[in-house]
Amino acid sequence: MGERSRAPEDEKDAEKLSLNELNGWISIAEFRATRMKLSASLKKSATKRLVWLEEQREKLHGVPAPKRRRF
């Protein structure tokens, strides 16, 4: 059976990450949400994940999350 992704799934997972690790996951999510050619539903999912990760970074490390408009 395959190995699960180490990506944070909930707040407990996000709390365990350093700021640099969280920034790395945010950059991956931002790449998926903005630069990859995805279907509308996958793009929406990627954007939701990006927003959630940025909210976690703001809550845990005090880095302001950018305002993201709906697409």
Side-chain angles (χ1 to χ4, degrees):
M1 190 157 192
E3 187 175 320
R4 280 191 62 194
S5 168
R6 294 190 180 129
E9 298 288 328
D10 56 22
E11 290 184 16
K12 285 184 181 181
D13 291 341
E15 289 172 357
K16 296 176 188 175
L17 297 175
S18 70
L19 179 57
N20 284 337
E21 291 172 322
L22 195 52
N23 284 336
W25 286 111
I26 288 171
S27 65
I28 292 169
E30 187 172 22
F31 178 79
R32 281 186 55 86
T34 61
R35 292 189 174 87
M36 290 183 74
K37 300 262 187 216
L38 300 172
S39 67
S41 63
L42 289 176
K43 184 173 177 106
K44 182 178 180 180
S45 175
T47 302
K48 284 177 128 180
R49 178 155 185 79
L50 172 61
V51 168
W52 180 80
L53 286 167
E54 289 174 338
E55 287 173 355
Q56 295 305 307
R57 181 178 63 183
E58 183 174 24
K59 184 172 107 177
L60 298 170
H61 300 285
V63 177
K67 303 286 185 216
R68 300 234 180 238
R69 294 183 351 201
R70 290 193 166 270
F71 56 94

